Amino acid sequence: MGDNPKVCNGKITVSEKMVESILLPPAFIALGMAVCLILMILNRGRKIAKYLLALVLVVYYLLSTWPSANILISSLEKRNNIDLLIDLKRVDAVVVLAGSASEAGGIRPRTELDRASWRRLWHGAEIYNQLVEKIPIIYSGGYPSEADLVRILASQWGISESQFWVEISSKNTYESGVEVQKLLDMRLLTESPHRVVLVTSAWHMPRALLVFRKLGIDSIPEPCDYFSTLNSGVVWFLVPNYEAFYASSVVIREWIAMGVYWLLGRI
């Protein structure tokens, strides 16, 4: 799964989106408030409704303020052990995992990369341009229109078409690992194990790294797109805001995804 709660590496079915949405904080909070309202209207369980409403408010406050949101975020982003002394001569490719994109349609005249896809692609390009001996960049996941867009961007940044590979078959993190392995076997004419620099959002890196290594791909983490925000101590950090709530929701979703992947034996 990639960046956005609504998308897994760019693609997700309607049923998967519905199940996923039900498990996230907005749905739980809305459900709790609805139950409280029904109990009060029916004039039953008013005491229970008061306690439930108080609980809902506490959960909402904690998830939507940065001090507690940062605790959740750090549970994933601090798990990344970055090796600053990478021997890139022994690396086969830079792998960038797609996040999501908004496709052209309606009032949107063109396809646009979301925050995660853009930052991941940019960081992959940064790594590529730092290399003396160029190695391929693999952009894994996304829609066909998204693939066309990232190819154009890569070309504008000076990355040759022969060095920028795109696969659009994968629909989630696990499938990305499988497809990347196939692509490396085919393009490099060598068998596994392969060694790659893995680029994805910092909160997504722990699961992605576990998946790739489980598949036998030796992966060097290069996280980007951090959610963590410095607690400066100012009052507004204690005021609920949508960015903290969004970040908390994404992290909770990612922990749920890690649990599902563990049950499926993918990590």
Side-chain angles (χ1 to χ4, degrees), residues 2-23:
D3 153 30
N4 202 305
K6 65 184 178 183
V7 180
C8 298
N9 271 11
K11 291 175 266 186
I12 187 170
T13 64
V14 174
S15 60
E16 286 173 334
K17 183 187 291 189
M18 289 178 63
V19 172
E20 186 178 85
S21 297
I22 292 172
L23 296 175

Side-chain angles (χ1 to χ4, degrees), residues 230-245:
L230 294 176
N231 289 336
S232 60
V234 294
V235 176
W236 71 267
F237 253 81
L238 300 176
V239 177
N241 68 87
Y242 78 94
E243 291 179 329
F245 188 74

Side-chain angles (χ1 to χ4, degrees), residues 12-260:
I12 187 170
T13 64
V14 174
S15 60
E16 286 173 334
K17 183 187 291 189
M18 289 178 63
V19 172
E20 186 178 85
S21 297
I22 292 172
L23 296 175
L24 292 177
F28 274 121
I29 290 173
L31 179 61
M33 293 175 68
V35 171
C36 291
L37 182 61
I38 291 171
L39 290 175
M40 290 180 179
I41 291 175
L42 296 178
N43 199 23
R44 294 180 180 177
R46 282 182 171 269
K47 189 173 182 179
I48 295 176
K50 290 179 182 178
Y51 287 126
L52 181 58
L53 182 59
L55 177 62
V56 169
L57 287 173
V58 168
V59 170
Y60 167 74
Y61 179 79
L62 291 175
L63 294 179
S64 59
T65 50
W66 278 116
S68 49
N70 272 334
I71 293 174
L72 278 175
I73 295 165
S74 64
S75 69
L76 289 175
E77 292 188 345
K78 284 188 175 181
R79 291 166 63 96
N80 299 317
N81 295 317
I82 303 173
D83 185 0
L84 299 178
L85 301 174
I86 304 173
D87 181 8
L88 292 175
K89 292 181 179 179
R90 295 182 51 247
V91 175
D92 295 320
V94 176
V95 176
V96 177
L97 300 184
S100 63
S102 300
E103 291 209 86
I107 62 173
R108 182 178 288 108
R110 64 186 66 86
T111 299
E112 298 175 314
L113 298 181
D114 74 346
R115 157 186 160 147
S117 288
W118 176 260
R119 292 185 177 187
R120 296 175 191 181
L121 180 61
W122 178 260
H123 189 52
E126 283 184 317
I127 295 171
Y128 177 85
N129 288 322
Q130 290 170 4
L131 302 177
V132 176
E133 297 183 15
K134 303 302 183 184
I135 57 176
I137 292 182
I138 301 175
Y139 189 85
S140 176
Y143 292 106
S145 57
E146 180 182 348
D148 293 338
L149 176 58
V150 297
R151 286 191 182 97
I152 293 171
L153 290 171
S155 176
Q156 292 174 345
W157 295 340
I159 304 173
S160 66
E161 185 177 347
S162 63
Q163 292 292 89
F164 192 79
W165 307 345
V166 179
E167 72 82 15
I168 58 174
S169 300
S170 61
K171 299 179 179 63
N172 53 53
T173 306
Y174 175 76
E175 291 182 10
S176 279
V178 172
E179 295 301 324
V180 165
Q181 192 170 51
K182 289 179 183 177
L183 190 58
L184 288 171
D185 287 345
M186 180 180 65
R187 291 287 190 98
L188 299 181
L189 300 178
T190 59
E191 295 182 354
S192 301
H194 298 290
R195 191 166 190 250
V196 304
V197 175
L198 185 60
V199 179
T200 189
S201 299
W203 52 265
H204 180 234
M205 182 62 77
R207 178 162 59 102
L209 202 58
L210 288 171
V211 166
F212 272 62
R213 288 176 175 172
K214 179 88 173 191
L215 290 169
I217 304 173
D218 184 12
S219 303
I220 302 167
E222 270 291 334
C224 59
D225 183 35
Y226 284 80
F227 268 136
S228 298
T229 302
L230 294 176
N231 289 336
S232 60
V234 294
V235 176
W236 71 267
F237 253 81
L238 300 176
V239 177
N241 68 87
Y242 78 94
E243 291 179 329
F245 188 74
Y246 172 75
S248 297
S249 298
V250 171
V251 171
I252 290 172
R253 171 187 176 273
E254 187 61 22
W255 274 112
I256 292 172
M258 287 185 73
V260 171

